[in-house]
Amino acid sequence: MERLQKVIAASGYTSRRKAEELILAGKVRVNGKTIYELGTKVNESDDIFVDGKLINKQIKEYYLLNKPRNVITSTTDDKNRETVVDLIKTTKRIYPVGRLDYDTTGALLLTNDGELTNILTHPSNNVDKVYIAKIKGLIGKDQLKTLERGVLIDNVKTSRSKARIMKYDKKTDSSIVELIIHEGRNHQVKRMFEAIGYEVLKLKRERYAFLDLTGLKSGEYRKLNPKEVKKLYSLK
Ligand code: URA
């Protein structure tokens, strides 16, 4: 991370002092947001516009990963565990959009496009996140309705979701439930089930927006095509 005025100056656009003046005058936007703070830190994948002109054009990359279990959703790990970024061959500084738990598998987007990340993670945007949860016990229609209407997590109600039971296995006394949510709160699915008295034994994200896992085995990934990137942008 570097100070914004330093990055502007390093791009050759203007001097550092002039860059500071431009920031204070509200002429600088980072990932679509006007920045007035001189100390703001940015990294190489942030889009920096000065007077409406992009000064640090980066080649953007977009990957869809089928995240395996026991991989951490982060760019680095202080315990030296494998991260999702380690699984992808690139020289770009990509990072995950949102987060899947260490033991959760499935669809995860990675990119170096800060603007798209902001769009996708903004709470007002209705990006579908489709999860398949294996839970302990038999779950009834009423409980699914409760989940759909919203439950309290940290005293804040979850927004409307969709839930349906796909299977009940008598032998193991476990149910498979599809849950479609639009938020991305910490451990949201596990905590939603916990709120109605169920334990999640296994969790997989089957789809993120319109991106599903077709053709991707666990640990495999692919680049998004330009059409898919455009479609993600249109979710704004
Ligand atoms: N909800 C969870 O509880 N865990 C995840 O990894 C994703 C959603």
Side-chain angles (χ1 to χ4, degrees):
M1 299 288 270
E2 297 266 24
R3 289 163 79 84
L4 181 55
Q5 58 267 40
K6 187 174 167 194
V7 176
I8 296 171
S11 78
Y13 186 89
T14 187
S15 69
R16 193 182 300 198
R17 213 180 61 79
K18 197 93 183 83
E20 289 177 354
E21 286 173 18
L22 288 165
I23 294 169
L24 293 173
K27 298 280 175 67
V28 178
R29 282 186 299 132
V30 176
N31 302 329
K33 214 172 118 202
T34 304
I35 300 293
Y36 298 94
E37 296 274 313
L38 286 181
T40 302
K41 295 274 178 67
V42 292
N43 68 38
E44 61 159 34
S45 60
D46 291 318
D47 286 331
I48 302 168
F49 287 84
V50 180
D51 268 335
K53 185 166 173 259
L54 184 63
I55 60 143
N56 63 332
K57 197 162 168 47
Q58 289 280 333
I59 294 174
K60 303 295 185 202
E61 291 188 346
Y62 308 86
Y63 296 93
L64 177 66
L65 168 71
N66 184 353
K67 178 193 172 296
R69 255 166 199 276
N70 302 343
V71 176
I72 185 159
T73 305
S74 172
T75 51
T76 55
D77 183 46
D78 49 13
K79 292 187 207 129
N80 248 336
R81 290 173 296 185
E82 190 172 41
T83 74
V84 287
V85 172
D86 295 335
L87 299 176
I88 292 177
K89 264 208 184 102
T90 176
T91 54
K92 294 278 182 288
R93 282 217 269 169
I94 57 165
Y95 50 83
V97 178
R99 158 187 297 267
L100 290 178
D101 294 336
Y102 190 63
D103 59 353
T104 300
T105 61
L108 182 69
L109 204 63
L110 296 103
T111 184
N112 57 349
D113 184 341
E115 192 186 349
L116 182 65
T117 302
N118 282 346
I119 290 171
L120 295 175
T121 55
H122 195 278
S124 70
N125 290 328
N126 265 342
V127 179
D128 276 359
K129 286 150 200 149
V130 181
Y131 290 93
I132 305 293
K134 181 180 181 185
I135 58 170
K136 183 96 198 98
L138 174 64
I139 192 162
K141 284 237 159 64
D142 287 352
Q143 284 140 321
L144 293 179
K145 277 270 163 284
T146 305
L147 269 191
E148 290 189 330
R149 279 195 294 261
V151 293
L152 290 179
I153 296 181
D154 293 335
N155 287 322
V156 181
K157 201 169 161 189
T158 56
S159 68
R160 280 198 82 81
S161 63
K162 277 231 137 283
R164 72 185 171 99
I165 181 138
M166 300 175 73
K167 204 168 113 188
Y168 171 68
D169 184 9
K170 217 169 168 185
K171 251 200 267 158
T172 55
D173 185 33
S174 60
S175 309
I176 306 288
V177 178
E178 180 191 74
L179 181 63
I180 307 179
I181 61 173
H182 301 105
E183 301 163 297
R185 290 162 64 185
N186 220 3
H187 311 303
Q188 178 155 347
V189 174
K190 292 174 186 167
R191 294 172 79 194
M192 284 175 75
F193 279 105
E194 192 180 71
I196 56 165
Y198 285 87
E199 184 193 353
V200 173
L201 303 173
K202 233 175 166 185
L203 187 60
K204 177 179 190 175
R205 184 154 72 192
E206 255 208 345
R207 178 159 68 77
Y208 182 87
F210 54 86
L211 297 165
D212 66 25
L213 294 167
T214 306
L216 294 177
K217 296 198 189 91
S218 175
E220 290 184 345
Y221 63 88
R222 68 171 177 89
K223 275 194 172 174
L224 299 192
N225 64 44
K227 247 191 181 158
E228 290 171 322
V229 174
K230 204 167 160 201
K231 206 165 158 190
L232 287 175
Y233 263 96
S234 76
L235 296 174
K236 195 169 175 174

